[in-house]
Amino acid sequence: MTSWFTYLGMDYGWAWFVATIIDILVIALPLMLAVAMIIYADRKIWAAMALRRGPNVVGPLGLLQSFADGLKVFLQETIIPSAANKGLFLLAPIITFTVALIVWAVVPFQAGVVLANINVGLLYVLAASSLGVYGIIIAGWASNSKYPFYSALRAAAQMVSYEVSIGFVLISVVLWANSFNLTAIVEAQKGFAWGWVNGNFINPLLFPMSVVFFISSLAETQRAPFDLTEAESELVAGYQTEYSSMSFALYWLGEYANVILMCALNAILFWGGYLPPLNIGWMYAVPGIIWLFIKILAFFFLFSWVKATVPRYRYDQLMRLGWKIFLPLSLFWVFLVSGYLMLTRVGIGS
Amino acid sequence: MIAAIAFYLFAAVVLLSGAMTITSRNPVHSVLWLILAFFNAAGLMLLCGAEFIAMLLIIVYVGAVAVLFLFVVMMLDIDFAELRAGFVRYAMIGLAFAVLLAAEVVIALLGWSAGGLKLDQRIAPTPDKMSNIEAIGHLLYSHYLFVFEGAGLVLLVAMIGAIVLTHRARGGVKGQKISRQVARRPQDATRNMQPPVGQGVEL
């Protein structure tokens, strides 16, 4: 794209600038559409598991339900509590929403199709996800209300705890792929199991980590069974209690954008990303982005499934799982993977 | 051109948010300005080509340390009158630090105008064809291995120390025994009874 704009007579800097902005729109706008449809899918799956119909009135099969909801919140009045800290109160949902979007910059959709192919891609993902907690803490504090504040404290503790084990899981993947770059991590998953399967999940050393990562990503996005921050029987609606209209919708969108992102990360880190599941010639005829989409949707189905079936954890159980089970396990696995690599690949890169 | 715009943007925001950190009245606002300063400092490091350090700055400082700051500050019961009363007491110490910092800035500027350091003549220049994350890894785990492990040991001792200092056995706390909860069957907890009309059940 940059070369096309330089061809039009712009100098390189401006051509890059314009091309990048267009690229960002090309990622962000379909993502918003995907979020709207995935909210619909979530409600449908959830309803089906509870033997209900789910949204089926607005549009054919209820497909336009999310857009109707969007229009509704858009027309509502934004209520700002008089005791709230106004600036921060309005800033918080914007932070959540922005952070959910910026990570997509490093997600590879196909070999070489990525907005920013940086060599610290995975660290960037960690950095951006550690920013996500601020949207929630600030909301809880700025609302100046008890339940949002409790919820914000819970959310912050939960996200910080599970980021620790996510970090170690990522390290074992990075060790295996020998790179922090997401494209390189995907490429390193080519041809496991005597060249047949693409994906770290088939690797017995990394499969347990893929399970840990899946559960941690449920906790990181505050989905059931770890949705203690929005435990409606205890905390009304958690940190979103005081929010209405568009500021509430931004939380809603950001939350689901985060869920899709976590599904994408699961797919990229352990299930081969844009590579076809089997390492067979004709499967490469299907574009990589379609494989990535199928994997993201499969993971989203898992997320919904868990939400529909698993009861909510107690807070002490949540912390116990994060600190006493996942942390030692993933730490041990880093040790195991690096030990195996020392035995088999020693000398690489030195 | 874009790099220059980005540099001035990041630098201006770092300075502004640094100033706001010490001038804003609400401590929570101070911490949030500090976070903005960290974040933009990471942007400056990215512009220098130190992407690994930039990411670590965000992950460690913004993602963990500042969250703790924010927790502590939010929990504080702040009395502004008392804060202002303390101002006079600590003014001299603050002034001493200000003078120290100003002197350091002057020394740094003098040193810089005298020619600066020759970055390409360091003991271990960044090798070509190697991302700086690999270069740092190579240095840390070969040349500076003992220093690095020493730092790790210091952190470990600090961590154990913090746990020892804060951990105390309190009486009267009902702990959760997960294994017992998991092992509990419905038969142990419930009984099926058919009491006659008008009579209760002996529990």
Side-chain angles (χ1 to χ4, degrees), chain B residues 27-51:
Chain B
V28 173
H29 290 184
S30 280
V31 176
L32 292 174
W33 283 113
L34 183 67
I35 292 164
L36 189 65
F38 281 150
F39 196 68
N40 282 279
L44 285 177
M45 286 180 183
L46 272 185
L47 288 180
C48 301
E51 68 269 14

Side-chain angles (χ1 to χ4, degrees), chain A residues 187-244:
Chain A
E187 291 297 333
Q189 298 177 30
K190 215 174 236 177
F192 275 114
W194 300 282
W196 282 100
V197 185
N198 291 329
N200 276 332
F201 68 94
I202 203 78
N203 181 345
L205 264 180
L206 290 177
F207 179 73
M209 287 298 98
S210 76
V211 177
V212 170
F213 187 75
F214 177 71
I215 298 173
S216 299
S217 57
L218 285 175
E220 185 72 9
T221 49
Q222 279 134 30
R223 292 277 295 190
F226 306 109
D227 55 347
L228 287 138
T229 54
E230 298 163 40
E232 64 278 348
S233 50
E234 309 159 22
L235 294 177
V236 193
Y239 57 89
Q240 304 166 342
T241 305
E242 306 289 346
Y243 282 87
S244 57

Side-chain angles (χ1 to χ4, degrees), chain B residues 76-171:
Chain B
L76 286 180
D77 188 21
I78 293 144
D79 186 356
F80 288 102
E82 203 174 313
L83 275 182
R84 258 177 237 124
F87 180 77
V88 184
R89 256 177 63 206
Y90 295 113
M92 289 315 290
I93 302 173
L95 205 65
F97 271 103
V99 169
L100 188 69
L101 284 177
E104 280 182 350
V105 168
V106 169
I107 291 170
L109 281 177
L110 286 177
W112 179 61
S113 62
L117 298 174
K118 294 278 182 293
L119 284 180
D120 50 342
Q121 290 175 9
R122 284 168 299 184
I123 298 169
T126 312
D128 299 334
K129 289 187 208 160
M130 201 184 250
S131 65
N132 66 38
I133 186 165
E134 279 174 85
I136 288 175
H138 272 275
L139 272 185
L140 274 188
Y141 291 105
S142 58
H143 202 93
Y144 296 111
L145 181 65
F146 290 111
V147 184
F148 180 66
E149 292 200 329
L153 218 58
V154 170
L155 280 178
L156 182 68
V157 170
M159 193 171 81
I160 294 172
I163 292 171
V164 167
L165 284 179
T166 52
H167 190 81
R168 60 202 157 106
R170 280 179 298 174

